[in-house]
Amino acid sequence: MTAQRTAAGSPGSHPRHALAPLLNSPVRLSVVAALAPVEKAEFAVVRELVEVSDSVLSKQVAALEAAGWVAVAKGRVGRRARTWLSLTAEGRVVYERHLTALRAIAEGAGAGAAARVRGGSDEGMDE
């Protein structure tokens, strides 16, 4: 992901520039969050955790797989076909960066930058 540029042409410093646009979808973010604490998870387990249909999960997983963030492995357990999902190393890095940016935004990290853009300081913002 490239850094955004401000109107003056310098790289933007607001934490939103570190967000991964692909993770703006609540379902995709939920899928990645479900996979983050485990090595791999069965498709059906993720479907139940995220509370979506097979087709919705399949479509969102395909987008994450195309980005290189989720790996899909197919196999059999006995006679039954199974699909396992896992985060790739890149997917883990992107997810952690996305979470860090969200936390920074929620904690008001952009407030100081916004005041600088307006030409003032953080003092007196309640006025």
Side-chain angles (χ1 to χ4, degrees):
M1 176 182 288
T2 60
Q4 297 288 330
R5 299 218 173 255
T6 63
S10 61
S13 62
H14 193 280
R16 78 174 179 281
H17 299 299
L19 292 172
L22 192 61
L23 296 181
N24 285 342
S25 159
V27 173
R28 287 190 294 267
L29 179 59
S30 297
V31 169
V32 172
L35 295 174
V38 298
E39 184 178 325
K40 65 181 180 178
E42 198 171 325
F43 183 94
V45 171
V46 175
R47 180 195 62 220
E48 295 302 316
L49 284 172
V50 179
E51 299 178 349
V52 294
S53 68
D54 283 352
S55 63
V56 168
L57 181 57
S58 181
K59 180 178 178 181
Q60 300 308 320
V61 165
L64 292 165
E65 184 181 27
W69 300 349
V70 169
V72 178
K74 297 188 181 270
R76 298 190 87 65
V77 175
R79 294 179 179 233
R80 300 189 71 144
R82 295 283 191 249
T83 301
W84 291 274
L85 308 173
S86 60
L87 277 183
T88 64
E90 180 183 358
R92 288 187 187 284
V93 168
V94 169
Y95 176 63
E96 288 302 321
R97 185 174 58 226
H98 190 82
L99 286 183
T100 299
L102 286 174
R103 286 184 192 107
I105 292 167
E107 292 168 1
R116 285 190 301 277
V117 168
R118 287 193 311 269
S121 68
D122 289 340
E123 295 178 23
M125 287 184 67
D126 293 336
E127 295 176 15

